[in-house]
């Protein structure tokens, strides 16, 4: 009897410990569903939080290149943050058919054999883009031939509208030509070098046409850039160059590259306390070189209506993920010839007929008056003196005519007008930058990590007038 009771007590204890399982068997599926829902919500919230945290880590050192790679693999997740309207009209297409990027490579209309379709593709792609005019044809030919040897893609922006004068060059049909009269380099770049169109190119060379490349090799230049991790760079300028605007761009003979300048002399004094451009992390607009990630940022920095680009070079460091990624390559340098081409002096105007007739009347009256004086001088025996007086009168008449002509119809200097427009655009760019910094309360300087009121300012109007900046 006692043994039977002990077995019954043991059964009761087991029932007590497992009471939830024995007494409530219908609640188990319900709890499983609830736990699954809670786990999904927790994972989803954590993923969104981490996604937002990773995407906004600019100031923590995440490079733009990583962002670009993430966007390539997950466009539906990342692209809406950059281009909110980019994918709104693509819901009707399957994801695998979408081609969000392009390039500037020339394609044949047909292939004679299947072997051409399997031609070897270069492991790296680089782009050279230049505004060109027919007057600089010889120099452009020298530059392009050097870059073609290194398998660069060439795109030329013809600002003078004279495209037919280039077809005699052997490489002309290998380049892309875009024609728009009297437009600047930055105007062309904003409209034809969209990051999606140049995404296959590792580096974009956006150069002027008046650069001497006798001491420059594109492949060796890129070797230095890659080794030093430069996102934005330029070749150093030969000390014999014309129009050296900033001393930091001058070549240092004993260095392979440099990032900053130490020079207490000049209007802009550069010392160890100089934090920003043009003493540290600066390249000039005549020959910048951008990495893929840097160009993605720089293209958005270019203002669509400010075509001269003044002031923008002072802010390019923000597109390099740090001033340490901006540098001047000294081992490969160029000669800046400083030839003004775009917006040269306008042709002299032909004076109106009324001014010509007035000048002729003045000249005739002077000659008639002196002829009468000469006749009287002959009767009085003073011929020699009268001849001298006649010559003086003729000279005076000629000087008066030239003076009237020059004061009334002085040739219009287009370069002065361009300089005036560039200065006005500088002020507009400066105001836009300051307004953007003020309105974006979440913006923190990723370069200097200082307060906004301590940031280096855009140079003043007087500074730029002294620099005589390049306009292309």
């Amino acid at each position: 009897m006692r043994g039977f009771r002990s077995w019954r007590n043991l059964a009761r204890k087991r029932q007590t410990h497992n009471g939830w399982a024995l007494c409530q068997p219908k609640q188990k599926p319900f709890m499983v569903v609830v736990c699954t829902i809670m786990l999904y919500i927790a994972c989803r919230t954590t993923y969104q939080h981490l996604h937002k945290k990773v995407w906004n880590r600019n100031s923590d050192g995440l490079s733009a290149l990583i962002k670009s790679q993430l966007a390539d693999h997950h466009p539906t997740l990342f692209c809406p943050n950059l281009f909110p309207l980019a994918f709104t009209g693509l819901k009707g297409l399957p994801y695998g058919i979408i081609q969000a990027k392009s390039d500037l490579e020339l394609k044949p209309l047909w292939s004679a054999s299947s072997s051409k379709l399997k031609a070897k593709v270069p492991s790296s792609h680089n782009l050279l883009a230049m505004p060109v005019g027919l007057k600089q044809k010889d120099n452009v030919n020298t530059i392009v031939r050097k870059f073609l040897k290194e398998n660069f893609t060439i795109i030329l922006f013809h600002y003078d509208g004279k495209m037919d004068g280039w077809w005699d060059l052997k490489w002309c049909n290998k380049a892309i030509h875009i024609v728009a009269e009297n437009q600047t380099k930055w105007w062309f770049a904003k409209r034809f070098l969209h990051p999606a169109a140049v995404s296959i190119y590792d580096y974009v060379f956006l150069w002027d046409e008046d650069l001497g490349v006798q001491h420059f090799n594109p492949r060796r230049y890129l070797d230095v850039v890659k080794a030093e991790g430069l996102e934005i760079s330029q070749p150093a300028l030969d000390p014999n160059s014309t129009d050296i605007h900033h001393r930091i761009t001058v070549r240092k003979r004993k260095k392979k590259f440099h990032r900053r300048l130490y020079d207490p002399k000049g209007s802009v004094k550069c010392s160890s306390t100089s934090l920003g451009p043009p003493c540290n992390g600066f390249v000039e607009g005549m020959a910048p070189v951008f990495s893929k990630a840097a160009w993605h940022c720089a293209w958005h920095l270019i203002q669509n209506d400010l075509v001269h680009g003044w002031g923008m070079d002072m802010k390019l460091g923000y597109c390099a993920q740090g001033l340490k990624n901006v540098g001047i390559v000294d081992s490969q340098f160029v000669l800046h010839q400083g030839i003004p081409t775009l917006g040269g002096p306008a042709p002299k105007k032909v004076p109106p007929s009324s001014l010509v007739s007035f000048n002729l009347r003045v000249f005739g009256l002077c000659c008639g008056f002196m002829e009468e004086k000469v006749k009287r001088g002959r009767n009085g025996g003073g011929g020699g003196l009268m001849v001298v007086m006649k010559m003086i009168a003729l000279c005076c008449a000629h000087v008066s005519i030239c003076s009237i002509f020059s004061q009334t119809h002085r040739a219009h200097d287009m370069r002065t007008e361009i300089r005036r427009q560039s200065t006005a655009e500088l002020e507009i760019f400066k105001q836009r930058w300051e307004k953007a910094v003020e309105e974006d309360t979440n913006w923190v300087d990723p370069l200097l990590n200082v307060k906004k009121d301590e940031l280096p300012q855009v140079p003043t109007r007087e500074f730029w007038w002294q620099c005589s900046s390049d306009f292309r």
Side-chain angles (χ1 to χ4, degrees), residues 211-270:
L211 299 176
V213 292
Q214 181 181 359
H215 304 284
F216 182 84
N217 182 284
R219 179 181 55 81
R220 295 175 182 174
Y221 178 87
L222 289 180
D223 289 342
V224 177
V225 169
K226 295 175 182 178
E228 303 300 334
L230 300 179
E231 296 288 327
I232 300 178
S233 61
Q234 77 162 79
L237 299 183
D238 191 305
N240 297 323
S241 298
T242 304
D243 291 342
I244 296 179
H245 308 142
H246 303 281
R247 297 187 303 278
I248 191 175
T249 60
V250 180
R251 180 197 179 204
K252 298 182 181 301
R253 299 180 182 274
K254 298 182 179 180
K255 289 189 175 182
K256 183 169 63 174
F257 80 102
H258 66 276
R259 292 187 175 94
R260 64 179 303 147
L261 173 71
Y262 298 95
D263 189 355
K265 302 178 181 179
S267 57
V268 179
K269 297 177 174 57
C270 298

Side-chain angles (χ1 to χ4, degrees), residues 260-262 270-275:
R260 64 179 303 147
L261 173 71
Y262 298 95
C270 298
S271 62
S272 58
T273 59
S274 301
L275 300 178

Side-chain angles (χ1 to χ4, degrees), residues 373-442:
K373 290 293 184 180
V374 170
K375 291 180 180 179
R376 292 180 181 178
R378 288 177 181 176
N379 296 333
L385 180 61
M386 289 297 103
V387 172
V388 174
M389 292 178 63
K390 181 176 181 179
M391 296 300 296
I392 295 175
L394 289 174
C395 293
C396 292
H398 180 70
V399 170
S400 63
I401 293 173
C402 293
S403 177
I404 296 173
F405 180 85
S406 62
Q407 292 178 5
T408 309
H409 292 271
R410 185 173 299 169
H412 191 57
D413 187 4
M414 295 298 295
R415 300 297 291 182
T416 301
E417 294 299 327
I418 291 178
R419 186 184 296 273
R420 185 177 291 110
Q421 175 66 24
S422 302
T423 305
E425 290 187 4
L426 169 65
E427 295 299 323
I428 296 174
F429 180 83
K430 178 181 178 181
Q431 294 172 5
R432 289 181 184 178
W433 179 271
E434 293 176 349
K435 181 180 179 181
V437 171
E438 181 179 358
E439 292 179 351
D440 192 351
T441 56
N442 296 324

Side-chain angles (χ1 to χ4, degrees), residues 280-297:
N280 183 25
F282 175 82
V283 298
E284 200 165 358
M286 68 181 70
V289 178
F290 303 91
S291 68
K292 181 190 303 185
W295 177 247
H296 183 276
C297 172

Side-chain angles (χ1 to χ4, degrees), residues 19 25-26 29 40 51 80 142 179 256 268 286 297 304 337 361 369 378 467:
K26 296 183 179 180
Y40 173 79
H51 169 223
T142 303
V179 182
K256 183 169 63 174
V268 179
M286 68 181 70
C297 172
N304 189 65
Q337 302 174 22
R361 286 200 304 271
F369 176 76
R378 288 177 181 176
C467 290

